[in-house]
Amino acid sequence: MQPSKVGRLLASDAGLQPVITKAREINALSKLCFDFLPPGLARLIRAVNLRDRQLILLAASPAAAAKLKLLAEPLRTYVLEQGAEVNSVSVRVQPGAAPAVGVPDPQPARLSRGALDALQALYRRLPDSPARAALKTLLDHDVKR
């Protein structure tokens, strides 16, 4: 079936309307979360439910969940200001949770030419040490990109 036929078929089934409405509502909330959160964090979370006016989010890691919990109240306020009826935000960890659909992957950070030159000069000045070895790893990694 073509997507347009599937969409028409789903829309024509009255029994599926509550499910379609809920999916659209969660999708809209996901977009609001993505718009509010920093891009690096937004790609690690996904809105999965709205139950009793509680927005339930899944985080891909405990670190992402911790950051999200710090932003839960400002996120709730933002979502309310956008017209969604959300009283609270609940964060759960689901390692490996797929990022939200349509969320772009962040571009890897690159050192500027000046920073790279300064780090190379520092590397040449340092005596043999774990710090020098770590700096070499960083420099080798940046050059490979």
Side-chain angles (χ1 to χ4, degrees), residues 26-94:
I26 292 169
N27 188 43
L29 289 167
S30 287
K31 181 171 179 353
L32 289 175
C33 291
F34 181 72
D35 291 346
F36 176 80
L37 296 169
L41 180 58
R43 72 176 188 83
L44 298 174
I45 66 106
R46 183 175 52 165
V48 293
N49 203 357
L50 179 65
R51 185 176 357 143
D52 300 325
R53 297 180 65 167
Q54 179 183 52
L55 175 60
I56 301 169
L57 303 174
L58 291 183
S61 70
K67 289 177 186 175
L68 191 54
K69 285 177 183 177
L70 293 173
L71 294 171
E73 185 57 27
L75 175 60
R76 183 194 69 81
T77 301
Y78 174 77
V79 169
L80 272 173
E81 290 170 353
Q82 303 308 309
E85 295 183 15
V86 173
N87 285 340
S88 64
V89 175
S90 172
V91 180
R92 299 179 184 160
V93 177
Q94 183 178 15

